Amino acid sequence: MAFDEKYMRLAIELAQKGVGAVNPNPLVGAVIVKDDRIIGQGYHKAYGGLHAEREAFKSLTESAEDADMYVTLEPCCHHGKQPPCVEAIVEHKIKRVYVGSDDPNKLVSGKGYEYLKSHGIEVHTHILKEECDALNDIFFHYITTGLPYVIMKYAMTIDGKIAAYTGESKWISNEASRHNSQELRNRASGIMVGIGTVLKDNPMLTCRLEGGHNPVRIICDTNMKLSLDSNIVKTSEKIPTILAVGERIKESCRTDNELMDRYNKLIDAGVEIIFVEEKDGRINLKSLMKYLGERQIDSVILEGGSTLNYAAIEEDIVNEINIYMAPKVLGGKDAPTAVGGKGFENPDLSKKFTLKELKKFDEDVFLKYIARV
């Protein structure tokens, strides 16, 4: 099997250009090579747009007959918003296809390979598989479960504090860490906090990268306390905002004029209000995730406080934890930690995670953990 890794690495770089624009589709890049020359390349640019393979064919500088194609994900073989990419590969008489990741989508899942092979095309799989798989942890989870990939994210000091005992938290992490945090917002479909965070910090929850994509804002607000004067409400006509309210509030609105007035004003401001079943007096997060998945929100960043974080851990919806650890010590028995709540009785009952990535942003240490299956 003769192949050159540099072409797959280029395909990976191309795929990454689709970050923030393709959800809930996967990130995919493709490169067409003939006589050790690149004659076409492309990536999936936007949801509903051409897939990477067809973008690559669109850019051809000469015939692709007998050429090789490098593609980061198994080519699709079904009709969706776009026709099957395998048909385009056959039509252009590609000789060999080198693929990075298998597609777990039940509509594809090996069928793309079978189609190509049945038409006389050589197929070589798992080229730089680990790197290609890393592009689509969100897509793989969402397409197989129908649920959003949930990333808990927070900055903390080396003694585990996310704020001082006064509640002051600006800034624990450094500028480089905060920039990386914005890149995560650009990547995800949704960002979620609890009402406590909104009332305390009055955040915007937007992506501050130039040309970045704003995730859908999701506020867990069991008792519908969101202030009409908050930054969230003031910008809801421009930035999609979902307010998850306890289901009993729906009935209360019928008898409480003040509550009904608040409901109507929030709707008029552009806030989408959904009623979610409750668990122990708060939003049932599993039910909320099911709803968000049905809305094609394939990923959610948790940027709430310790109460929401514990609820998410307890309900077992967290797939990944991103931590920015600053070389600072705040101390204080009343200074908040990242995960509050009641806690687990002993270490054996704790939720387990595996370290996936460790790197530095200047003096801050970044840690990525993934949930153990």
Side-chain angles (χ1 to χ4, degrees), residues 192-196 198 218-224 242-246 283 285 288-289 302 308:
M192 188 166 83
V193 299
I195 186 61
V198 176
I218 305 145
I219 316 299
C220 292
D221 185 7
T222 309
N223 299 305
M224 203 165 71
I242 297 173
L243 192 68
V245 174
I283 297 298
L285 295 180
L288 178 56
M289 290 305 114
L302 293 184
L308 179 63

PDB file of all heavy atoms in Angstrom, residues 192-196 198 218-224 242-246 283 285 288-289 302 308:
ATOM      1  N   MET A 192     -24.259  26.220  27.679  1.00  0.00           N
ATOM      2  CA  MET A 192     -25.284  26.142  28.711  1.00  0.00           C
ATOM      3  C   MET A 192     -24.767  26.585  30.070  1.00  0.00           C
ATOM      4  O   MET A 192     -23.658  26.235  30.474  1.00  0.00           O
ATOM      5  CB  MET A 192     -25.813  24.704  28.810  1.00  0.00           C
ATOM      6  CG  MET A 192     -27.018  24.559  29.716  1.00  0.00           C
ATOM      7  SD  MET A 192     -27.844  22.960  29.488  1.00  0.00           S
ATOM      8  CE  MET A 192     -26.847  21.921  30.533  1.00  0.00           C
ATOM      9  N   VAL A 193     -25.596  27.361  30.759  1.00  0.00           N
ATOM     10  CA  VAL A 193     -25.305  27.783  32.130  1.00  0.00           C
ATOM     11  C   VAL A 193     -26.584  27.678  32.940  1.00  0.00           C
ATOM     12  O   VAL A 193     -27.683  27.544  32.392  1.00  0.00           O
ATOM     13  CB  VAL A 193     -24.771  29.236  32.192  1.00  0.00           C
ATOM     14  CG1 VAL A 193     -23.470  29.380  31.418  1.00  0.00           C
ATOM     15  CG2 VAL A 193     -25.808  30.217  31.678  1.00  0.00           C
ATOM     16  N   GLY A 194     -26.435  27.778  34.255  1.00  0.00           N
ATOM     17  CA  GLY A 194     -27.591  27.824  35.133  1.00  0.00           C
ATOM     18  C   GLY A 194     -27.991  29.268  35.384  1.00  0.00           C
ATOM     19  O   GLY A 194     -27.211  30.201  35.155  1.00  0.00           O
ATOM     20  N   ILE A 195     -29.191  29.471  35.883  1.00  0.00           N
ATOM     21  CA  ILE A 195     -29.682  30.827  36.136  1.00  0.00           C
ATOM     22  C   ILE A 195     -28.829  31.544  37.172  1.00  0.00           C
ATOM     23  O   ILE A 195     -28.668  32.770  37.113  1.00  0.00           O
ATOM     24  CB  ILE A 195     -31.169  30.797  36.577  1.00  0.00           C
ATOM     25  CG1 ILE A 195     -31.723  32.221  36.686  1.00  0.00           C
ATOM     26  CG2 ILE A 195     -31.344  30.019  37.859  1.00  0.00           C
ATOM     27  CD1 ILE A 195     -31.701  33.006  35.388  1.00  0.00           C
ATOM     28  N   GLY A 196     -28.223  30.800  38.094  1.00  0.00           N
ATOM     29  CA  GLY A 196     -27.362  31.424  39.102  1.00  0.00           C
ATOM     30  C   GLY A 196     -26.206  32.174  38.466  1.00  0.00           C
ATOM     31  O   GLY A 196     -25.871  33.293  38.877  1.00  0.00           O
ATOM     32  N   VAL A 198     -26.138  33.423  35.428  1.00  0.00           N
ATOM     33  CA  VAL A 198     -26.665  34.589  34.703  1.00  0.00           C
ATOM     34  C   VAL A 198     -26.971  35.734  35.671  1.00  0.00           C
ATOM     35  O   VAL A 198     -26.638  36.896  35.412  1.00  0.00           O
ATOM     36  CB  VAL A 198     -27.932  34.215  33.906  1.00  0.00           C
ATOM     37  CG1 VAL A 198     -28.523  35.448  33.230  1.00  0.00           C
ATOM     38  CG2 VAL A 198     -27.611  33.153  32.864  1.00  0.00           C
ATOM     39  N   ILE A 218     -28.231  28.294  26.116  1.00  0.00           N
ATOM     40  CA  ILE A 218     -29.229  27.492  26.823  1.00  0.00           C
ATOM     41  C   ILE A 218     -29.114  27.815  28.312  1.00  0.00           C
ATOM     42  O   ILE A 218     -28.048  27.636  28.912  1.00  0.00           O
ATOM     43  CB  ILE A 218     -28.985  25.984  26.585  1.00  0.00           C
ATOM     44  CG1 ILE A 218     -28.961  25.681  25.083  1.00  0.00           C
ATOM     45  CG2 ILE A 218     -30.048  25.154  27.281  1.00  0.00           C
ATOM     46  CD1 ILE A 218     -27.991  24.604  24.688  1.00  0.00           C
ATOM     47  N   ILE A 219     -30.196  28.303  28.889  1.00  0.00           N
ATOM     48  CA  ILE A 219     -30.195  28.684  30.293  1.00  0.00           C
ATOM     49  C   ILE A 219     -31.117  27.738  31.064  1.00  0.00           C
ATOM     50  O   ILE A 219     -32.300  27.618  30.742  1.00  0.00           O
ATOM     51  CB  ILE A 219     -30.705  30.135  30.488  1.00  0.00           C
ATOM     52  CG1 ILE A 219     -30.092  31.089  29.447  1.00  0.00           C
ATOM     53  CG2 ILE A 219     -30.430  30.596  31.913  1.00  0.00           C
ATOM     54  CD1 ILE A 219     -28.609  31.202  29.489  1.00  0.00           C
ATOM     55  N   CYS A 220     -30.582  27.068  32.073  1.00  0.00           N
ATOM     56  CA  CYS A 220     -31.410  26.238  32.952  1.00  0.00           C
ATOM     57  C   CYS A 220     -31.990  27.136  34.040  1.00  0.00           C
ATOM     58  O   CYS A 220     -31.263  27.620  34.915  1.00  0.00           O
ATOM     59  CB  CYS A 220     -30.568  25.126  33.574  1.00  0.00           C
ATOM     60  SG  CYS A 220     -30.016  23.885  32.387  1.00  0.00           S
ATOM     61  N   ASP A 221     -33.280  27.379  33.951  1.00  0.00           N
ATOM     62  CA  ASP A 221     -33.948  28.352  34.822  1.00  0.00           C
ATOM     63  C   ASP A 221     -35.262  27.751  35.308  1.00  0.00           C
ATOM     64  O   ASP A 221     -36.342  28.090  34.827  1.00  0.00           O
ATOM     65  CB  ASP A 221     -34.178  29.644  34.041  1.00  0.00           C
ATOM     66  CG  ASP A 221     -34.750  30.768  34.897  1.00  0.00           C
ATOM     67  OD1 ASP A 221     -34.851  30.596  36.118  1.00  0.00           O
ATOM     68  OD2 ASP A 221     -35.104  31.814  34.320  1.00  0.00           O
ATOM     69  N   THR A 222     -35.163  26.843  36.255  1.00  0.00           N
ATOM     70  CA  THR A 222     -36.326  26.070  36.700  1.00  0.00           C
ATOM     71  C   THR A 222     -37.527  26.940  37.032  1.00  0.00           C
ATOM     72  O   THR A 222     -38.664  26.629  36.645  1.00  0.00           O
ATOM     73  CB  THR A 222     -35.952  25.234  37.946  1.00  0.00           C
ATOM     74  OG1 THR A 222     -34.753  24.505  37.682  1.00  0.00           O
ATOM     75  CG2 THR A 222     -37.067  24.252  38.291  1.00  0.00           C
ATOM     76  N   ASN A 223     -37.297  28.056  37.710  1.00  0.00           N
ATOM     77  CA  ASN A 223     -38.405  28.892  38.189  1.00  0.00           C
ATOM     78  C   ASN A 223     -38.632  30.157  37.370  1.00  0.00           C
ATOM     79  O   ASN A 223     -39.348  31.050  37.787  1.00  0.00           O
ATOM     80  CB  ASN A 223     -38.165  29.260  39.662  1.00  0.00           C
ATOM     81  CG  ASN A 223     -38.107  28.030  40.551  1.00  0.00           C
ATOM     82  OD1 ASN A 223     -39.032  27.224  40.562  1.00  0.00           O
ATOM     83  ND2 ASN A 223     -37.013  27.864  41.280  1.00  0.00           N
ATOM     84  N   MET A 224     -38.009  30.220  36.197  1.00  0.00           N
ATOM     85  CA  MET A 224     -38.159  31.347  35.272  1.00  0.00           C
ATOM     86  C   MET A 224     -37.864  32.686  35.961  1.00  0.00           C
ATOM     87  O   MET A 224     -38.698  33.583  36.022  1.00  0.00           O
ATOM     88  CB  MET A 224     -39.559  31.364  34.642  1.00  0.00           C
ATOM     89  CG  MET A 224     -39.605  32.109  33.310  1.00  0.00           C
ATOM     90  SD  MET A 224     -41.109  31.785  32.363  1.00  0.00           S
ATOM     91  CE  MET A 224     -42.342  32.643  33.341  1.00  0.00           C
ATOM     92  N   ILE A 242     -32.351  29.624  24.336  1.00  0.00           N
ATOM     93  CA  ILE A 242     -33.360  28.688  24.843  1.00  0.00           C
ATOM     94  C   ILE A 242     -33.376  28.774  26.358  1.00  0.00           C
ATOM     95  O   ILE A 242     -32.341  28.603  27.009  1.00  0.00           O
ATOM     96  CB  ILE A 242     -33.055  27.247  24.399  1.00  0.00           C
ATOM     97  CG1 ILE A 242     -33.112  27.122  22.873  1.00  0.00           C
ATOM     98  CG2 ILE A 242     -34.043  26.271  25.041  1.00  0.00           C
ATOM     99  CD1 ILE A 242     -32.662  25.769  22.351  1.00  0.00           C
ATOM    100  N   LEU A 243     -34.548  29.043  26.920  1.00  0.00           N
ATOM    101  CA  LEU A 243     -34.716  29.062  28.365  1.00  0.00           C
ATOM    102  C   LEU A 243     -35.438  27.784  28.773  1.00  0.00           C
ATOM    103  O   LEU A 243     -36.592  27.565  28.405  1.00  0.00           O
ATOM    104  CB  LEU A 243     -35.526  30.291  28.781  1.00  0.00           C
ATOM    105  CG  LEU A 243     -35.547  30.612  30.286  1.00  0.00           C
ATOM    106  CD1 LEU A 243     -34.153  31.046  30.745  1.00  0.00           C
ATOM    107  CD2 LEU A 243     -36.562  31.704  30.598  1.00  0.00           C
ATOM    108  N   ALA A 244     -34.729  26.923  29.503  1.00  0.00           N
ATOM    109  CA  ALA A 244     -35.311  25.668  29.964  1.00  0.00           C
ATOM    110  C   ALA A 244     -35.935  25.889  31.332  1.00  0.00           C
ATOM    111  O   ALA A 244     -35.243  26.131  32.320  1.00  0.00           O
ATOM    112  CB  ALA A 244     -34.245  24.578  30.030  1.00  0.00           C
ATOM    113  N   VAL A 245     -37.262  25.813  31.368  1.00  0.00           N
ATOM    114  CA  VAL A 245     -38.031  26.118  32.574  1.00  0.00           C
ATOM    115  C   VAL A 245     -38.698  24.840  33.077  1.00  0.00           C
ATOM    116  O   VAL A 245     -39.074  23.969  32.281  1.00  0.00           O
ATOM    117  CB  VAL A 245     -39.088  27.198  32.254  1.00  0.00           C
ATOM    118  CG1 VAL A 245     -40.011  27.442  33.440  1.00  0.00           C
ATOM    119  CG2 VAL A 245     -38.394  28.497  31.834  1.00  0.00           C
ATOM    120  N   GLY A 246     -38.875  24.723  34.399  1.00  0.00           N
ATOM    121  CA  GLY A 246     -39.535  23.566  34.973  1.00  0.00           C
ATOM    122  C   GLY A 246     -40.967  23.435  34.475  1.00  0.00           C
ATOM    123  O   GLY A 246     -41.680  24.435  34.341  1.00  0.00           O
ATOM    124  N   ILE A 283     -34.071  21.272  36.706  1.00  0.00           N
ATOM    125  CA  ILE A 283     -34.253  20.747  35.356  1.00  0.00           C
ATOM    126  C   ILE A 283     -33.645  19.358  35.244  1.00  0.00           C
ATOM    127  O   ILE A 283     -32.507  19.130  35.669  1.00  0.00           O
ATOM    128  CB  ILE A 283     -33.605  21.687  34.313  1.00  0.00           C
ATOM    129  CG1 ILE A 283     -34.291  23.065  34.321  1.00  0.00           C
ATOM    130  CG2 ILE A 283     -33.667  21.076  32.912  1.00  0.00           C
ATOM    131  CD1 ILE A 283     -35.761  23.037  33.960  1.00  0.00           C
ATOM    132  N   LEU A 285     -31.672  17.113  33.407  1.00  0.00           N
ATOM    133  CA  LEU A 285     -30.707  17.365  32.332  1.00  0.00           C
ATOM    134  C   LEU A 285     -30.747  16.296  31.243  1.00  0.00           C
ATOM    135  O   LEU A 285     -30.501  16.593  30.070  1.00  0.00           O
ATOM    136  CB  LEU A 285     -29.294  17.483  32.911  1.00  0.00           C
ATOM    137  CG  LEU A 285     -29.074  18.684  33.843  1.00  0.00           C
ATOM    138  CD1 LEU A 285     -27.641  18.701  34.359  1.00  0.00           C
ATOM    139  CD2 LEU A 285     -29.390  19.995  33.115  1.00  0.00           C
ATOM    140  N   LEU A 288     -33.504  17.284  29.013  1.00  0.00           N
ATOM    141  CA  LEU A 288     -33.100  18.457  28.243  1.00  0.00           C
ATOM    142  C   LEU A 288     -32.159  18.064  27.111  1.00  0.00           C
ATOM    143  O   LEU A 288     -32.295  18.547  25.976  1.00  0.00           O
ATOM    144  CB  LEU A 288     -32.427  19.476  29.163  1.00  0.00           C
ATOM    145  CG  LEU A 288     -31.902  20.750  28.499  1.00  0.00           C
ATOM    146  CD1 LEU A 288     -33.003  21.482  27.732  1.00  0.00           C
ATOM    147  CD2 LEU A 288     -31.265  21.672  29.538  1.00  0.00           C
ATOM    148  N   MET A 289     -31.200  17.156  27.382  1.00  0.00           N
ATOM    149  CA  MET A 289     -30.273  16.720  26.335  1.00  0.00           C
ATOM    150  C   MET A 289     -31.019  16.015  25.196  1.00  0.00           C
ATOM    151  O   MET A 289     -30.688  16.184  24.033  1.00  0.00           O
ATOM    152  CB  MET A 289     -29.211  15.787  26.921  1.00  0.00           C
ATOM    153  CG  MET A 289     -28.215  16.458  27.842  1.00  0.00           C
ATOM    154  SD  MET A 289     -27.347  17.868  27.089  1.00  0.00           S
ATOM    155  CE  MET A 289     -27.994  19.210  28.100  1.00  0.00           C
ATOM    156  N   LEU A 302     -20.698  23.232  28.873  1.00  0.00           N
ATOM    157  CA  LEU A 302     -21.203  23.634  30.183  1.00  0.00           C
ATOM    158  C   LEU A 302     -20.255  24.676  30.761  1.00  0.00           C
ATOM    159  O   LEU A 302     -19.092  24.384  31.023  1.00  0.00           O
ATOM    160  CB  LEU A 302     -21.269  22.440  31.137  1.00  0.00           C
ATOM    161  CG  LEU A 302     -22.277  21.327  30.849  1.00  0.00           C
ATOM    162  CD1 LEU A 302     -22.229  20.302  31.973  1.00  0.00           C
ATOM    163  CD2 LEU A 302     -23.677  21.886  30.712  1.00  0.00           C
ATOM    164  N   LEU A 308     -24.681  23.401  38.719  1.00  0.00           N
ATOM    165  CA  LEU A 308     -24.997  22.785  37.430  1.00  0.00           C
ATOM    166  C   LEU A 308     -23.978  21.696  37.092  1.00  0.00           C
ATOM    167  O   LEU A 308     -24.337  20.626  36.588  1.00  0.00           O
ATOM    168  CB  LEU A 308     -25.025  23.843  36.320  1.00  0.00           C
ATOM    169  CG  LEU A 308     -25.315  23.327  34.910  1.00  0.00           C
ATOM    170  CD1 LEU A 308     -26.720  22.714  34.830  1.00  0.00           C
ATOM    171  CD2 LEU A 308     -25.187  24.450  33.876  1.00  0.00           C
TER     172      LEU A 308
END
